[in-house]
Amino acid sequence: MVSAISVETALEAGDVLGESPVWSREEQSLYWVDILRPSVRRWTPATGEQRDWQLPAEVGSMALRERGGAVLALRTGFALLDFATGAVTGLHDPEPEATGNRFNDGKCDPAGRFWAGTMDCAEKEPLGALYRLDPDHRSHRMTGGVICSNGLGWSPDGRTMYYTDTWTHRIDAFDFDLGTGRIENRRTFAETPPGEGHPDGLTVDSEGGIWSARWDGWRVVRYAPDGSVDRTVELPVPRPTSCAFGGPGLSDLFVTSASTGLSPATLDEAPLSGAVFRIDAGVTGLTDATFAG
Ligand code: CA
């Protein structure tokens, strides 16, 4: 079912490859990254204020830290960003030899560990892996054989972790142990049909619904917790990349998007490619977790 839910352009951000949206309840601001610019971006809807932090390497994803600033998954490994000074401090590169890989999507679990995965930049071979960066700044390799590590999220009860390797055309689920951060029992949560785009970033709402952005699919799809498609929301751009709930009541679904790789004809058809969209989703989100390290 294609839903009549309203979609509006929140910000003509002009992103090359917008990704990793995160809502700060404290600042009532949306943070995200432009992977290729590369930068961390912030926008405060109530005031319209915008700020960018330029980064020294491609940035796949970010999360906010409890103590301020952000944790980043850079091409060169995990790093911290100080918002006051703009300084970037490297923590650890778990794949120093894998020069054809870069970090991609990442997110904090409800206990404050930062999860991020890598991808084969050619998006062909299963050379990537998923890592967990703990608050002590040690990283752990949690699963391998990944072509393009993408959307991550946790069920409201913290017992299920959702995970996307885009080129498997599946969203998978793991049993998740919130206390230890262990994952097991990987299984298919949903398969994505050909012709409806490739599963990219995702977020989980307060009812346990999973919202999955569809690269080259012009849409975001909501799944019920049993894996059935509940709703499809069409967008005016082919490459939505990820989504996050924000706004005063966590009732706005913000969707990032990309302009990279699109033909001039497609850009003519979809001039808002690279914008941030706002969907009145009719359901509220969960507070984005912060990094405890
Ligand atoms: Ca992505």
Side-chain angles (χ1 to χ4, degrees):
M1 178 183 96
V2 175
S3 172
I5 288 174
S6 78
V7 177
E8 64 181 57
T9 306
L11 181 70
E12 293 192 32
D15 289 329
V16 181
L17 182 48
E19 266 286 3
S20 191
V22 178
W23 181 255
S24 165
R25 288 192 92 163
E26 197 177 11
E27 299 175 46
Q28 290 290 302
S29 298
L30 186 73
Y31 285 85
W32 72 102
V33 303
D34 187 332
I35 293 178
L36 297 176
R37 189 103 45 200
S39 57
V40 164
R41 316 199 68 185
R42 183 181 68 192
W43 168 59
T44 308
T47 62
E49 187 203 348
Q50 277 180 257
R51 183 159 175 203
D52 293 339
W53 290 265
Q54 298 304 315
L55 301 174
E58 286 165 307
V59 56
S61 50
M62 64 168 291
L64 297 170
R65 297 175 74 195
E66 252 174 46
R67 62 190 71 184
V71 60
L72 310 173
L74 297 177
R75 182 166 189 138
T76 47
F78 291 110
L80 301 174
L81 169 64
D82 183 322
F83 288 141
T85 65
V88 174
T89 307
L91 292 178
H92 174 60
D93 183 356
E95 297 183 351
E97 278 95 44
T99 52
N101 280 8
R102 70 158 169 83
F103 261 108
N104 200 40
D105 210 337
K107 191 173 284 183
C108 279
D109 72 29
R113 310 173 190 92
F114 182 58
W115 295 67
T118 55
M119 60 181 274
D120 169 24
C121 289
E123 304 198 37
K124 295 244 182 309
E125 303 294 329
L127 304 173
L130 176 66
Y131 298 90
R132 190 190 78 204
L133 181 70
D134 287 351
D136 64 4
H137 295 177
R138 294 186 184 197
S139 79
H140 304 268
R141 189 175 186 274
M142 302 305 288
T143 192
V146 179
I147 303 171
C148 180
S149 195
N150 244 317
L152 283 157
W154 286 265
S155 59
D157 66 6
R159 294 171 66 175
T160 303
M161 184 177 93
Y162 298 101
Y163 180 57
T164 311
D165 177 354
T166 291
W167 302 113
T168 63
H169 293 103
R170 296 195 316 265
I171 300 168
D172 285 349
F174 290 88
D175 294 338
F176 182 69
D177 186 322
L178 188 60
T180 63
R182 287 221 305 265
I183 51 174
E184 58 187 9
N185 187 27
R186 183 172 183 168
R187 67 270 186 190
T188 299
F189 170 71
E191 294 188 10
T192 65
E196 294 183 7
H198 314 293
D200 202 337
L202 64 80
T203 192
V204 181
D205 66 38
S206 61
E207 296 175 1
I210 291 88
W211 297 79
S212 166
R214 281 300 146 73
W215 179 266
D216 282 343
W218 303 79
R219 71 191 72 195
V220 174
V221 177
R222 181 185 192 260
Y223 293 92
D226 67 2
S228 61
V229 173
D230 171 63
R231 256 175 274 176
T232 296
V233 182
E234 293 189 328
L235 293 166
V237 295
R239 296 190 159 171
T241 54
S242 191
C243 48
F245 282 92
L250 291 179
S251 59
D252 296 326
L253 183 68
F254 290 106
V255 182
T256 50
S257 70
S259 54
T260 187
L262 296 175
S263 70
T266 304
L267 286 170
D268 275 352
E269 187 187 353
L272 289 168
S273 292
V276 175
F277 299 92
R278 176 175 19 220
I279 295 172
D280 181 2
V283 61
T284 57
L286 302 163
T287 302
D288 286 324
T290 50
F291 182 53

